[in-house]
């Protein structure tokens, strides 16, 4: 009887602990989802509702909503309720075009990828596996990625494609670096020379191409507008962070491991190829 009682008590304890673990995991997932949702929700509000509305263009004329009309709205999404012409004021207008679908696809991809990254990082923090130095690198990436999405949004929306492929080069290479950064945010992942050199080489390319393209003239020579200078500094700081922090982490944890000659050759070659593509082929 004593043995059976002991087994039954152990079963109850195991069942209770399992139930508690499931509840903790559910709360953790909910916390990650809600936090990621709030961050994504606040980004466009800070961008348009605060920076643009309050600081950049605070003196724009008010719109007369009672007499406002829009003659270039195709009204397709309104169905049979309205026909093209002088339609009433709408908070959001969008036309049924290929560009609108691309904007939706781009926005959906940005939101989903960013949300998953945030949930992954929050999960690492809850599991005490977050590498804080690499988290700083990831945070510095938020502005460049948000700017990439916003630029592509406007390229499609305005049918302005003069700088589209040039910006696409920066966006895709930045995305590749961010994939490695998010991977290295896990403290259980080893920081190796190959991973670090991917991030550092991309940042070096961005610094060189950006410097030859706009940074020197708009910032140092003071030929750019205020928003252009702020934008370029906003790109410069993350690139330096992407070089400094990963290299510091590597040399602090290398344990006698050095970069091989082949890795150094690939590093130099990737910078040379990146500068050629970004500076000479896409401009």
């Amino acid at each position: 009887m004593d043995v059976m009682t002991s087994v039954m008590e152990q079963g109850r304890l195991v069942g209770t602990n399992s139930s508690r673990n499931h509840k903790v995991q559910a709360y953790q997932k909910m916390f990650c989802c809600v936090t990621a949702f709030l961050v994504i929700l606040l980004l466009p509000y800070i961008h348009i509702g605060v920076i643009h509305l309050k600081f950049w263009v605070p003196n724009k004329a008010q719109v007369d909503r009672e007499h406002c009309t829009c003659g270039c709205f195709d009204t397709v999404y309104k169905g049979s309720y309205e026909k093209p012409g002088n339609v009433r004021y709408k908070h959001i207008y969008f036309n049924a075009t290929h560009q609108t679908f691309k904007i939706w696809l781009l926005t959906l991809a940005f939101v989903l990828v960013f949300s998953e990254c945030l949930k992954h990082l929050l999960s690492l923090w809850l599991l005490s596996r977050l590498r804080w130095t690499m988290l700083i690198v990831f945070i510095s990436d938020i502005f460049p990625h948000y700017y990439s999405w916003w630029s592509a949004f406007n390229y499609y929306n305005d049918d302005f494609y003069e700088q589209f492929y040039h910006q696409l080069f920066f966006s895709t290479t930045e995305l590749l670096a961010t994939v490695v950064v998010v991977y290295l945010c896990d403290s259980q992942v080893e920081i190796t020379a190959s991973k670090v050199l991917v991030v550092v080489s991309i940042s070096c390319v961005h610094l060189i191409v950006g410097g030859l393209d706009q940074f020197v003239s708009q910032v140092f020579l003071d030929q750019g507008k205020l928003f252009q200078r702020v934008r370029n500094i906003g790109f410069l700081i993350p690139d330096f962070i992407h070089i400094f922090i990963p290299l510091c982490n590597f040399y602090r944890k290398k344990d006698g491991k050095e970069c091989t000659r082949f890795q150094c050759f690939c590093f130099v070659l990737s910078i040379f190829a990146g500068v050629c593509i970004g500076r000479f082929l896409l401009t």
Side-chain angles (χ1 to χ4, degrees), residues 133-145 173-182 184 195-204 206-207 234-249:
T133 52
M134 297 308 296
L135 176 65
I136 296 173
V137 180
F138 173 82
I139 292 174
S140 72
D141 255 339
I142 294 177
F143 172 72
H145 284 306
T173 51
E174 189 72 40
L175 183 61
L176 175 61
T178 302
V179 170
V180 180
V181 168
V182 172
L184 291 176
K195 299 185 185 76
V196 169
L197 291 179
V198 169
V199 178
V200 173
S201 62
I202 290 174
S203 297
C204 288
H206 288 178
L207 286 172
F235 292 148
L236 178 71
I237 295 174
D239 283 327
F240 275 121
I241 291 175
H242 278 63
I243 295 173
F244 180 73
I245 291 182
L247 285 177
C248 287
N249 279 337

Side-chain angles (χ1 to χ4, degrees), residues 156-270:
Y156 284 125
N157 197 37
D158 300 341
D159 280 328
F160 176 79
Y161 305 108
E162 182 178 340
Q163 295 290 325
F164 180 82
Y165 290 106
H166 190 59
Q167 179 61 46
L168 183 63
F169 168 77
F170 282 94
S171 301
T172 52
T173 51
E174 189 72 40
L175 183 61
L176 175 61
T178 302
V179 170
V180 180
V181 168
V182 172
Y183 186 56
L184 291 176
C185 281
D186 189 345
S187 60
Q188 294 185 359
V189 174
E190 183 184 4
I191 297 179
T192 61
S194 58
K195 299 185 185 76
V196 169
L197 291 179
V198 169
V199 178
V200 173
S201 62
I202 290 174
S203 297
C204 288
V205 170
H206 288 178
L207 286 172
I208 297 172
V209 175
L212 295 173
D213 185 21
Q214 295 178 338
F215 187 84
V216 174
S217 61
Q218 293 180 353
V219 178
F220 285 110
L221 300 180
D222 201 23
Q223 296 177 359
K225 298 179 180 179
L226 176 61
F227 81 90
Q228 292 174 323
R229 295 197 296 270
V230 173
R231 176 194 62 190
N232 288 321
I233 293 173
F235 292 148
L236 178 71
I237 295 174
D239 283 327
F240 275 121
I241 291 175
H242 278 63
I243 295 173
F244 180 73
I245 291 182
L247 285 177
C248 287
N249 279 337
F250 173 70
Y251 283 107
R252 186 166 54 92
K253 299 279 187 177
K254 66 178 181 178
D255 298 328
K257 297 179 181 178
E258 299 287 350
C259 297
T260 64
R261 291 184 178 180
F262 177 73
Q263 289 173 331
C264 292
F265 172 76
C266 291
F267 174 70
V268 175
L269 181 63
S270 63

